[in-house]
Amino acid sequence: MGKNIYGIKRNGFSLTELMITLAITGILAAVAYPVYTGFMSTGARAAGQADLMALAAAMERHRAANFTYAGAASGGGNTGSPAIFATHSPSSEPESKKRYNLAIDSVATNGISYVISATPVSGTIQEGDGKLFYYSDGRKAWDQNNNGSIASTEYCWQC
């Protein structure tokens, strides 16, 4: 603030000051937005991991009751959507907001092992994040590069 060359007191901001403020705000937003979406994606991935662990616990309950993992999918099948969490996310997300679809990928023919997965829902922040896997022997995998196969370095959820 101050007086201009005519001795009149100025009120407000000059265009230069406003443009500098907008430039600084734009730079901060350009840095902050990717960090924010990264945190959102990491949080949603953690919910997907929790969902897989809940499904693994449900698979163990199924085996305890039936002496096999076979028949745990919807309609009594061995693969596909699980019967227990077919329409909701066990991490308390409503169906309309879930970011992963759970599936039973395979059950061994003798019914003593399985592979379950969580696939990112298209149209969400998780799209393109890669599938999560859980194996009945306790291994965990995340297709981090989303290429459809699990490399030896991807057998973890915190890669």
Side-chain angles (χ1 to χ4, degrees):
M1 302 285 178
K3 295 184 178 183
N4 65 12
I5 59 172
Y6 302 109
I8 301 172
K9 187 175 179 185
R10 289 187 321 158
N11 290 326
F13 301 101
S14 70
L15 181 59
T16 305
E17 292 169 330
L18 184 61
M19 294 304 290
I20 290 171
T21 303
L22 286 175
I24 291 171
T25 304
I27 291 168
L28 289 175
V31 170
Y33 184 73
V35 171
Y36 170 74
T37 57
F39 280 124
M40 293 298 293
S41 180
T42 300
R45 189 178 320 109
Q49 293 166 351
D51 289 353
L52 269 181
M53 295 307 294
L55 178 54
M59 293 291 286
E60 295 304 325
R61 287 190 302 273
H62 179 82
R63 182 173 185 203
N66 300 294
F67 303 104
T68 182
Y69 294 118
S74 292
N78 290 342
T79 60
S81 179
I84 190 163
F85 299 126
T87 61
H88 73 285
S89 168
S91 62
S92 301
E93 293 180 4
E95 174 76 16
S96 62
K97 292 187 178 184
K98 74 178 185 176
R99 294 179 188 99
Y100 286 92
N101 289 318
L102 300 177
I104 301 170
D105 287 355
S106 66
V107 173
T109 46
N110 58 6
I112 62 168
S113 65
Y114 64 84
V115 177
I116 56 177
S117 67
T119 305
V121 174
S122 55
T124 66
I125 196 168
Q126 293 309 108
E127 184 175 19
D129 193 46
K131 260 176 119 169
L132 298 167
F133 295 91
Y134 184 82
Y135 299 84
S136 58
D137 61 5
R139 289 178 297 145
K140 302 170 184 174
W142 170 33
D143 185 10
Q144 187 175 11
N145 57 11
N146 200 22
N147 67 354
S149 66
I150 302 296
S152 62
T153 58
E154 294 178 323
Y155 278 98
C156 69
W157 280 349
Q158 307 302 324
C159 303

